[in-house]
Amino acid sequence: MTDRTAPQSDPCESGTTSLQRLTQFARDMGHPTSLPIIAERILSGLSEVSRHSQGVLYLLNRERECFCQVVSQAQLPSIAASSAVPLSHPLVQHLAHHQDILDSSALTDSLCRASSNNSMSVQLAALPIDLVIPLLNRGQLIAFVLLRPKIETTVIPSHTIELLAAMAQNAANALDSFLLYEDLRQSQALMRRTDRLRSLETIAGGFAHEIRNPLTSIKTFIQLAPERKDDAQFIGEFSRIVLDDVNRIERLIQEILDYARYMEPRLTDEDLNEIVSSCLYFIQAKADSRGIKIEKDLAHELPRGMLDRQQIKQVLLNLLLNAMDAMSEKTGTLRVRTTRLPKADGEVWTQIEIEDTGHGISPENLDHIFDPFFTTKHASAVNEGTGLGLTIAHQIIQEHRGEIQVQSTVEIGTTFRINLPSHRD
Ligand SMILES: Nc1ncnc2c1ncn2[C@@H]1O[C@H](COP(=O)(O)OP(=O)(O)OP(=O)(O)O)[C@@H](O)[C@H]1O
Ligand SMILES: [Mg+2]
């Protein structure tokens, strides 16, 4: 803005106050969780400093090629009727070109200069504004704030304009990082969906392969039954085999339905230690009967997390049962540990470790254990598996934005680690 005569207060005092305000504003900009929240913080910061009582924020929407109003949570009746302003609007053009804060007098200047263009004057005059603050990122106009009406009629002092410009820069940076983060989050969600579709394709192929064998044996039985109907041994033995096959097909169908069901977790505030303890309670009797010792080491101050209790239980039970299956040849120890996991960005996640002293996983198999239908339990009469347990576990942990990792040494044992985000306050 140019040539502004303003009543100056003590420059030292206003400098200190400005710095404090700017620091506080920058702090308020940290970690917003939604666009309305960030809009509200920007609007309340800017209107408080500029002494206006209402504000509205317009954000660039590249797809729609316009600036759209972001509704703040504490929004007063909107000061601007239009919820979208096209890129060709004279105000947008002016801000993009001059990149300065406009008060009503500067706006009038601009109107006068643009008076040769009648439609531009009309459009500008139609906006009920006292102050316009552009938010720029790398020289590009990404948003702007309209404010009105003034609480004080005095001209805004130049140091306040400087402060507003610094706050606007801060707000633009915060908006930009928030939008980048949102973009990333949406792409990750899309990737997860795509991943899931791809594995559903594999599952469909695997399913066809898996049911072919039991179907063949059922078909053989039906074909042979009429001529062997008096052979009691044949009928007895084959009936048992057919029943096992039918049960296997039923179980496969159930597992596939569980997997195919859209697995958006139903998140509730949970104590992970409590879920772990409840799973251990479930398997204790089985472990005792197999002579397996369970060692439990749960962290005292574990942050709570937003988790789908049933899904996390399903994951843990599968890992615990896998661990016990791996120790079925000999007695062993199952160690379950929970810990706080500080991340590089300052957040604290939770980690669950499930460690067994079983037969381990060979390096060739290790690459495939999360693949649908990968199982080494086909041959085992005791622990027959579908090979979907870890596929589902991986899917669930991904949906919780967590990580699942495995380390294994043949004949020594296997450790699974699950890392889960905790609350973001
Ligand atoms: N703790 C472990 N120790 C050794 N091998 C393991 C362990 N956990 C998993 N595996 C290997 O990974 C394979 C796949 O496990 P997954 O849980 O997906 O299927 P499954 O246990 O065979 O069948 P399901 O869980 O569907 O009943 C297992 O068959 C086994 O070979
Ligand atoms: Mg399993």
Side-chain angles (χ1 to χ4, degrees), residues 30-43:
H31 308 301
T33 46
S34 73
L35 211 47
I37 291 178
I38 196 168
E40 187 187 331
R41 291 183 189 171
I42 292 173
L43 289 175

Side-chain angles (χ1 to χ4, degrees), residues 318 321-322 325 377 389-390:
N318 183 54
L321 293 176
N322 280 350
D325 289 346
K377 299 177 191 170
L390 285 177

Side-chain angles (χ1 to χ4, degrees), residues 87-301:
L87 299 188
S88 58
H89 192 283
L91 177 67
V92 171
Q93 298 277 319
H94 180 101
L95 292 174
H97 188 240
H98 297 279
Q99 311 200 336
D100 53 2
I101 296 177
L102 288 174
D103 67 1
S104 46
S105 65
L107 208 58
T108 318
D109 283 356
S110 166
L111 274 172
C112 290
R113 262 185 265 116
S115 61
S116 56
N117 182 338
N118 209 23
S119 75
M120 187 185 269
S121 319
V122 173
Q123 288 188 55
L124 276 174
L127 282 173
I129 328 162
D130 284 325
L131 196 69
V132 185
I133 303 178
L135 305 191
L136 303 149
N137 187 261
R138 291 181 283 268
Q140 299 285 314
L141 182 69
I142 62 161
F144 58 88
V145 169
L146 306 183
L147 296 166
R148 72 160 291 195
K150 265 179 166 181
I151 297 171
E152 284 160 10
T153 47
T154 49
V155 178
I156 303 175
S158 60
H159 63 77
T160 302
I161 293 291
E162 277 164 24
L163 173 60
L164 287 171
M167 288 168 76
Q169 190 52 62
N170 224 300
N173 293 345
L175 259 180
D176 189 54
S177 2
F178 179 79
L179 294 175
L180 271 177
Y181 173 77
E182 275 298 291
D183 252 18
L184 188 71
R185 211 175 56 80
Q186 279 170 14
S187 336
Q188 280 175 344
L190 195 69
M191 270 163 59
R192 283 205 302 275
R193 293 287 109 75
T194 323
D195 238 32
R196 189 166 154 273
L197 283 179
R198 210 177 308 129
S199 52
L200 266 178
E201 228 178 278
T202 322
I203 281 193
F207 181 62
H209 175 79
E210 288 296 309
I211 61 168
R212 205 159 279 147
N213 283 347
L215 279 181
T216 308
S217 87
I218 294 168
K219 194 169 159 193
T220 312
F221 175 69
I222 292 169
Q223 280 168 342
L224 293 177
E227 60 188 74
R228 307 281 295 270
K229 62 179 186 310
D230 300 325
D231 182 343
Q233 197 191 348
F234 169 84
I235 297 289
E237 210 165 292
F238 256 85
S239 302
R240 251 194 329 277
I241 295 174
V242 165
L243 191 64
D244 280 354
D245 286 339
V246 170
N247 286 341
R248 179 164 173 76
I249 292 174
E250 250 177 24
R251 199 177 145 207
L252 279 166
I253 290 173
Q254 192 49 51
E255 298 264 0
I256 281 171
L257 287 179
D258 284 350
Y259 185 77
R261 181 168 62 90
Y262 182 63
M263 287 209 290
E264 180 94 43
R266 267 187 263 147
L267 302 178
T268 44
D269 178 48
E270 297 288 347
D271 174 356
L272 193 65
N273 279 344
E274 207 253 303
I275 300 180
V276 171
S277 298
S278 119
C279 289
L280 290 178
Y281 178 77
F282 257 119
I283 61 153
Q284 186 69 57
K286 196 167 181 173
D288 288 346
S289 71
R290 293 191 187 180
I292 293 170
K293 191 172 157 219
I294 296 182
E295 287 180 6
K296 178 168 99 169
D297 177 11
L298 306 183
H300 283 306
E301 298 204 340

